[in-house]
Amino acid sequence: MGVAQSNEHGASSPEELSSMLAERFATKCFTPLELTHFKDNFFSRALEQGGLRYWNEKVLSDFLGIPDGIYTSSQKQPLDAGPVIFRMVSYLGAFPFQNTLAPSVLTFEAMVKVVVLLTERYGKALKRGHKDRIKLLFGSLADVGRKIPAESSRECTTEDSEASAEHSHALGFSIDAPANDEYDEDEDDDLALAALESLDAIEVFKHDHRVDKTVYETRISIDTFRRLLMLLLVIAPLKPLESLRVYTFGLDVQRMESLKKEADSIIAAFSPEESDGGISYKAFARTISLSLPYLFDPLTALFEHMLFSKNLNLSRRRHKEQATETEQEESEENEEPPSPPAALTLPGSFESSILNPTLTSHLSFFLPSTSPDINILRSSVKLHPVFSTSAHGSSLTSFSHHVLTWQTATLLLLQGSPADSTSEELITLGAYIPQTWKTSISTSSSSSKTSDLLPCLFQLSPKHILLPGNPSPSAKKPNTPTAYFSTNTGIAVGCRIPAPSRTQQNYPTPHGAGSLIIDSNIETAEFHAEPVGHDGVFLPAANTSPEDPSTKIKLDLYTLEIWGIVPDPESSSFSADPSLSPVEIQRAKWEFEAREAERRRNINLKAGAGDSAKESARWLLETAGIIGDEARYSGGRG
C-alpha cells in the first residue's frame, strides 16, 4: 500500500511517517559506507528492551566522549553537558512530530534524523532547512515550563526504560502548546512541511500541529545554556574524526573558571530575563542569526563521529586481533595524554597575552575564514603575529612599520579597564578588518582576496556584542574607511575622517552604529555602539531597538595586538610570486625596511659624532621599531 493510499484511509500514523522519513534521510544524506559505519556504531552499543534497540543518556555520552565533570584534589568541577545533549537529541529524534512523539526513544531511526539535522546534511533531502534549524535547536533546549522526560537519568533502571519506551509517544512538551504574541501567523514549520511533502503526509502533520504556531513562550534556562556553551567552547576546534579527549583532557579549575566567564559573556548577548526564567525564542533566533552564526558548528563535528566506526577501521582491527582483551584494557588505562591540538596562531615575534583557547573558541562563533560559509577554526586559516604593544612598544611609528605593510586581512584585539573608574573589570574589544590599512582616505582597492568579506566590530567581554559590517554601497565613502591610521591622531575604526587642515589638528569622529578610536600614544581607547545608524561602516548590534541607550566605553589600554590572517600558510595563491607564501613576502618586506633603516642610520651617524649622540639616535630608532633585533625579526622567525 502506497503512502498516499494509507493517508486516504487514515492508516498512516505519525510513528510510521517518522520512520519513513528516517529511511529517506538515511538513503539521501549518507553514503553507503557512512551508513554501514553508522549502523555498526549504533547496534554494537544499543541496549535492548522488549525487542526495542535504543540508546540511553549514558551510552550517548560515552560514545561521544562527553565528560560529566573533572576532578581535582579538593573538588569536582562539573562540565555536565551530557544531560543537555541528551535532551536535545531526544527532542530532535521526534522530528517532525515533536508534539506527538517528543521526547523520542533513541532508536536507530531517531538517531538518523538527529545526525542529519545536527550535521546540516538535510540540504540533500529538504527544500528549506537552515532557517528552521534554529527553531528546532531552541525547542530542543527550552526547559522552562516544559515537562521533564521520563528517561533522562544516566542511571536508568529497567523499569524506567520500559516506562520510557511505552509512554514516550504520549508525553509531550509544553513548548508546543498554543501561544500568542507578536509573531506572524504565516511563520509555518517550513522545515517540517518540506520533510513531509514527498511523503504525501501534510494532512497528518497539520493535524498534529493544528494549534502549533511555532510561537514559543517557553524559555531556555540560563543554567542549561551555560552548560552547553561551556562544552561548545571546549570542543570548538574539533575535527570530524578527532577524539574529544584531545580537548577535554587536562581541564583544570582555572580553565573551567575561564570557560564559565566566557559563557556568561555570551549569555549576556541574549538579554536573558531572570524574572521570566531565561532566554526567549525571539532573543535566541535573532542573536544566533545575526551575532553568533557559527555557535552550533561544534555539534556538526561531534555528531560526525557517528559516521566512522573504529570496529571497521582495518588497521585497528588487525592490531586488535594481535592483542588480548586484557592487554587492550591495560593499554587504554596506560594511554598517554593526547597530543595538544594544532594552534590557530603561527610562531612569530610575540606570543599573545590576549588570545587563549577559550577566547579563540569564542571568536570562532562569529568570525568567518576566507568564506562566510565557514568559521575561522574549521578552515586552514592561521593568525600571524604582526604587532603587539607588549613586544613592540606603544610607538605609532612602530605600529606603522609592522601593520601598514601587511597585505591581507587583519584582526585587531585590545584589552583594558574602564578609565576613571575603580573597577578592575577586564574589557576585551576587537575588529575584523578584511582590507589593508590606510594612512589616507583614498579608496584604493585591496589586493587581499578576503576583501569581499564584510568587516565587524565586537566586544567579547564582559558582554558579547557584534556590530556587523554594512553591506550598503552608500557606507563605503572615501571619508569613512574601515580602518585608518595617523601618527598625529592615532588609530580609528569605523570613523569619519576630517579633511586635512593647515590651521588646526582635526580628529576622527564616531560615525554610524559603531566605532573604535585609539589615541596617538596607544594608551586609551573609546568604543562607541549606537542602537541606530545605517550610514556608517557598521550596523547596530542584534537585539537592539532605537529606544536603547547608546554605549560609550573609555578604556585605559593594557595591550593592543594586530594579527594577520593568512588564508593558507603553505599557499602561494595570494602572492605575485608563485614561489612565495604571504608570510614569506611579508617577512621580506619587513627585512627590507629594516635594512633601509640601518642604511639611513649609517648615513646619519657619521664618524666624528660623539658616542653619546650615536647612542641617543640609535635609541630613538629602536624605540620606533625601525632598527634592532625586534624589527629585524618581526616577520615571524621568532
Side-chain angles (χ1 to χ4, degrees):
M1 181 180 292
V3 176
Q5 293 174 326
S6 297
N7 289 338
E8 290 174 3
H9 297 286
S12 289
S13 65
E15 290 87 349
E16 292 171 322
L17 290 169
S18 180
S19 179
M20 293 173 63
L21 180 62
E23 183 180 352
R24 182 176 293 273
F25 274 9
T27 56
K28 285 186 171 291
C29 301
F30 303 131
T31 66
L33 182 59
E34 288 174 334
L35 193 56
T36 300
H37 280 260
F38 195 156
K39 289 179 178 179
D40 183 76
N41 277 327
F42 181 86
F43 289 109
S44 64
R45 295 168 175 83
L47 305 175
E48 184 173 357
Q49 184 66 46
L52 182 69
R53 306 287 297 277
Y54 68 97
W55 279 17
N56 64 7
E57 182 189 326
K58 186 178 187 306
V59 174
L60 179 69
S61 294
D62 288 348
F63 173 78
L64 295 177
I66 301 173
D68 61 348
I70 62 165
Y71 297 85
T72 65
S73 58
S74 60
Q75 60 182 318
K76 175 184 176 183
Q77 296 288 325
L79 193 55
D80 203 25
V84 179
I85 296 296
F86 182 73
R87 173 190 289 133
M88 296 178 69
V89 170
S90 298
Y91 183 89
L92 297 175
F95 175 79
F97 296 103
Q98 288 87 348
N99 276 359
T100 305
L101 304 182
S104 171
V105 177
L106 299 187
T107 62
F108 177 74
E109 289 77 12
M111 287 300 295
V112 165
K113 290 185 287 183
V114 167
V115 174
V116 167
L117 293 171
L118 289 181
T119 61
E120 301 184 87
R121 291 168 174 258
Y122 44 72
K124 298 179 181 179
L126 306 180
K127 295 180 180 179
R128 300 172 292 274
H130 183 73
K131 171 186 173 183
D132 293 275
R133 184 173 182 257
I134 293 178
K135 297 178 184 178
L136 287 172
L137 289 171
F138 178 85
S140 70
L141 286 167
D143 56 358
V144 177
R146 186 173 75 175
K147 295 178 182 178
I148 303 216
E151 207 269 346
S152 61
S153 173
R154 290 178 64 91
E155 299 177 358
C156 176
T157 64
T158 303
E159 291 182 358
D160 290 335
S161 299
E162 292 175 348
S164 175
E166 182 178 353
H167 299 295
S168 63
H169 298 336
L171 181 60
F173 293 87
S174 62
I175 189 173
D176 296 311
N180 295 301
D181 61 7
E182 63 214 40
Y183 293 99
D184 296 332
E185 289 190 1
D186 59 358
E187 200 174 298
D188 278 329
D189 280 62
D190 292 341
L191 181 63
L193 291 174
L196 296 169
E197 280 179 355
S198 59
L199 298 180
D200 193 22
I202 300 300
E203 292 305 318
V204 177
F205 171 77
K206 287 182 177 178
H207 177 74
D208 184 69
H209 284 62
R210 59 191 178 278
V211 293
D212 180 21
K213 302 296 184 182
T214 67
V215 179
Y216 301 150
E217 286 188 341
T218 50
R219 299 286 191 272
I220 300 174
S221 74
I222 295 174
D223 177 67
T224 293
F225 202 42
R226 181 185 291 115
R227 285 187 287 164
L228 177 64
L229 285 175
M230 290 174 70
L231 175 67
L232 296 179
L233 286 166
V234 169
I235 68 171
L238 183 69
K239 303 297 187 294
L241 298 183
E242 199 172 24
S243 171
L244 206 70
R245 190 167 177 265
V246 172
Y247 302 97
T248 58
F249 180 84
L251 289 176
D252 54 19
V253 175
Q254 184 178 0
R255 178 74 194 283
M256 293 298 292
E257 287 298 320
S258 172
L259 290 168
K260 182 179 181 298
K261 185 176 180 180
E262 207 70 34
D264 286 341
S265 295
I266 295 173
I267 289 172
F270 292 82
S271 303
E273 301 177 18
E274 294 281 0
S275 60
D276 291 337
I279 300 167
S280 69
Y281 170 67
K282 179 181 178 182
F284 181 85
R286 184 171 178 80
T287 305
I288 295 296
S289 299
L290 301 179
S291 191
L292 294 159
Y294 311 121
L295 179 64
F296 292 100
D297 280 9
L299 295 181
T300 296
L302 182 62
F303 279 85
E304 288 275 356
H305 284 68
M306 291 292 302
L307 306 179
F308 177 79
S309 172
K310 293 181 180 179
N311 294 332
L312 301 182
N313 185 339
L314 296 181
S315 61
R316 184 182 177 91
R317 195 169 183 176
R318 285 193 296 268
H319 175 73
K320 183 178 180 181
E321 292 172 352
Q322 297 171 1
T324 65
E325 290 185 6
T326 303
E327 289 173 340
Q328 290 182 47
E329 291 175 359
E330 292 177 352
S331 176
E332 290 178 1
E333 290 177 359
N334 300 324
E335 186 178 358
E336 294 183 359
S339 301
L344 177 64
T345 58
L346 296 171
S349 59
F350 66 89
E351 292 195 7
S352 179
S353 59
I354 299 177
L355 284 175
N356 56 49
T358 305
L359 195 74
T360 300
S361 295
H362 188 167
L363 287 171
S364 74
F365 294 159
F366 65 90
L367 199 63
S369 59
T370 55
S371 165
D373 298 328
I374 185 171
N375 76 55
I376 195 168
L377 283 180
R378 296 181 69 187
S379 66
S380 58
V381 163
K382 296 292 183 181
L383 300 181
H384 188 274
V386 175
F387 173 81
S388 168
T389 52
S390 299
H392 305 118
S394 298
S395 163
L396 282 181
T397 304
S398 179
F399 179 91
S400 172
H401 165 67
H402 289 89
V403 177
L404 266 61
T405 53
W406 185 263
Q407 295 300 304
T408 63
T410 52
L411 178 66
L412 178 152
L413 295 172
L414 64 87
Q415 279 186 339
S417 62
D420 304 324
S421 172
T422 58
S423 172
E424 296 182 357
E425 181 181 41
L426 194 64
I427 296 177
T428 306
L429 302 172
Y432 169 68
I433 303 166
Q435 297 82 18
T436 53
W437 286 73
K438 302 297 177 186
T439 54
S440 69
I441 57 176
S442 63
T443 55
S444 57
S445 60
S446 169
S447 60
S448 169
K449 289 190 178 182
T450 58
S451 59
D452 291 337
L453 296 174
L454 292 174
C456 64
L457 183 64
F458 53 86
Q459 176 180 289
L460 296 180
S461 64
K463 176 183 178 179
H464 173 92
I465 300 174
L466 178 67
L467 302 166
N470 190 349
S472 173
S474 61
K476 299 177 177 64
K477 299 175 182 178
N479 66 338
T480 57
T482 301
Y484 172 80
F485 161 82
S486 167
T487 53
N488 294 323
T489 61
I491 302 166
V493 178
C495 294
R496 176 179 281 137
I497 309 303
S501 173
R502 295 183 178 180
T503 59
Q504 61 181 355
Q505 180 64 63
N506 295 321
Y507 292 85
T509 56
H511 181 65
S515 61
L516 177 66
I517 300 174
I518 302 172
D519 75 316
S520 57
N521 296 319
I522 317 185
E523 293 179 347
T524 63
E526 288 187 8
F527 173 67
H528 296 259
E530 303 289 341
V532 295
H534 290 73
D535 58 343
V537 176
F538 303 106
L539 296 174
N543 287 339
T544 57
S545 63
E547 296 77 23
D548 292 338
S550 301
T551 299
K552 180 180 179 180
I553 304 173
K554 187 171 183 179
L555 299 178
D556 289 329
L557 275 184
Y558 297 157
T559 307
L560 169 68
E561 296 178 355
I562 303 292
W563 293 84
I565 296 179
V566 184
D568 185 346
E570 304 301 326
S571 171
S572 59
S573 60
F574 280 72
S575 62
D577 186 344
S579 64
L580 297 177
S581 71
V583 174
E584 291 170 329
I585 288 204
Q586 189 62 50
R587 183 183 302 157
K589 287 183 177 182
W590 278 330
E591 291 179 344
F592 173 78
E593 288 200 359
R595 288 195 300 270
E596 284 297 297
E598 187 74 16
R599 183 180 63 82
R600 292 193 296 270
R601 182 187 69 83
N602 291 332
I603 292 175
N604 293 330
L605 302 179
K606 296 180 180 179
D611 291 341
S612 62
K614 291 181 181 180
E615 291 302 318
S616 177
R618 184 176 184 85
W619 178 84
L620 288 172
L621 291 172
E622 288 179 344
T623 302
I626 296 176
I627 66 171
D629 291 340
E630 279 186 349
R632 188 172 289 112
Y633 296 112
S634 61
R637 293 193 292 180

